[in-house]
Amino acid sequence: MAKIKVHGLPFSSCTARVLACLNEKQVEYELIPVNARAGDHKKPQYLSLNPFGLFPALEDGCLTLFESRAIIKYLAKKYEGQGCPNLLGSTVEEEAVVEQWCEVESHHFNPPCYALVSQIIINPLKGGTTDEAVVESNAEKLSRVLDVYEDRLSKSKYLAGDWFSLADLQHMPFLHYLVNDVGKATLISSRKHVNAWWEDISSRPAWKKIAVHMKFPSK
C-alpha cells in the first residue's frame, strides 16, 4: 500500500493536527516540507493539491484532500480498526457530542488563538509589529471560552466524555502554542480542569512525536 503523503510544515497548526491523527491511528506517512519562504505554496504544483495555498494537503493514493479538520475525520473513519479507538465516538449520541465540541473548537476556540499567534509570533517574523490591543481583546475572548471548557471538564475527563476523541485532538496545536510560544500559559494553568486536560492529552506519545518539531523559524 502506498504511504500517505502530507505536504506542509511541522510548525503549522493544521499540519500538526493531521500528523497527530496519523500517529494516533498508527498510520505510516511521509511529510513533504513545503518551502513557504520561497512561496512554493502559491505555485501551480502545490495549488493543484490545495487551491487556497494553505497547509496541509494530503495525498492518499488517488485521493487528495485539504482542510485539516476534514482530513482528520477521514483518517479516523478509514482507520477506525487500528490505533486509538473511537476518535469519532462509538454511538450516534457520542458522535454528536464529538462533532459539537469540534464545532466549538472551530468557531469559538480557534479564532482568538489564531489572532494571538498571528500578533505575537507571525507578524514579527514577517517584519511587522504586535498590536497589543488586539492581543488583549483576543486574550479576553479566549478566557471566556476557556471558562466554558473549565465547566465542561469538571464533569468529564475529555471534552466529549471519558474517552479521548477528535474533539480533544483538534485543539492540541493551538493549546501547544498558548503554553509554549505566546506567553499565555496562565490561561490554561489557572483553570484546574483545563490544565489537567492539557497535561493529559499533551503527554500522549502520538502528540509528543509532533510537539518536538513545532518550532517556529527565526527571522
Side-chain angles (χ1 to χ4, degrees):
M1 183 181 294
K3 187 181 294 186
I4 285 178
K5 296 179 181 179
V6 181
H7 302 259
L9 294 169
F11 61 84
S12 153
S13 61
C14 293
T15 303
R17 185 177 291 125
V18 170
L19 299 184
C21 188
L22 285 162
N23 284 344
E24 287 287 355
K25 299 308 292 181
Q26 298 175 5
V27 178
E28 290 190 10
Y29 62 88
E30 177 185 3
L31 175 62
I32 302 175
V34 180
N35 191 337
R37 288 193 172 185
D40 286 357
H41 58 310
K42 301 298 183 182
K43 295 177 180 177
Q45 183 176 358
Y46 185 78
L47 292 173
S48 70
L49 302 173
N50 186 333
F52 297 101
L54 300 172
F55 303 123
L58 178 142
E59 292 183 278
D60 185 8
C62 295
L63 177 67
T64 300
L65 290 174
F66 54 90
E67 296 298 339
S68 65
R69 294 169 182 83
I71 292 172
I72 64 175
K73 288 178 184 177
Y74 163 74
L75 294 171
K77 288 182 179 180
K78 179 171 182 177
Y79 298 103
E80 171 57 32
Q82 69 184 67
C84 180
N86 299 328
L87 285 179
L88 292 167
S90 59
T91 67
V92 172
E93 292 79 9
E94 288 179 356
E95 288 180 15
V97 179
V98 171
E99 184 64 27
Q100 170 184 267
W101 285 99
C102 285
E103 288 292 305
V104 171
E105 186 277 331
S106 298
H107 298 292
H108 300 283
F109 178 83
N110 184 78
C113 287
Y114 181 82
L116 290 171
V117 171
S118 295
Q119 288 294 328
I120 296 170
I121 297 178
I122 304 300
N123 284 3
L125 280 176
K126 293 182 175 180
T129 58
T130 297
D131 187 327
E132 294 299 338
V134 173
V135 170
E136 182 178 357
S137 172
N138 281 280
E140 291 175 357
K141 290 177 184 177
L142 183 57
S143 182
R144 292 192 291 271
V145 171
L146 290 172
D147 285 343
V148 175
Y149 282 51
E150 178 70 6
D151 180 66
R152 170 60 180 173
L153 292 164
S154 72
K155 301 168 185 174
S156 62
K157 185 175 181 179
Y158 301 104
L159 287 173
D162 290 323
W163 81 99
F164 179 80
S165 73
L166 284 191
D168 308 293
L169 186 150
Q170 202 164 291
H171 287 77
M172 294 173 75
F174 272 128
L175 283 168
H176 176 89
Y177 295 149
L178 288 173
V179 171
N180 296 286
D181 296 297
V182 300
K184 299 297 179 182
T186 56
L187 286 170
I188 306 302
S189 62
S190 63
R191 293 169 170 83
K192 175 183 176 181
H193 299 289
V194 171
N195 189 62
W197 171 60
W198 169 242
E199 291 291 333
D200 182 300
I201 63 177
S202 63
S203 68
R204 296 179 70 83
W207 176 251
K208 291 170 76 172
K209 292 178 183 178
I210 304 304
V212 295
H213 300 292
M214 290 182 66
K215 301 183 187 300
F216 285 97
S218 56
K219 290 184 180 180

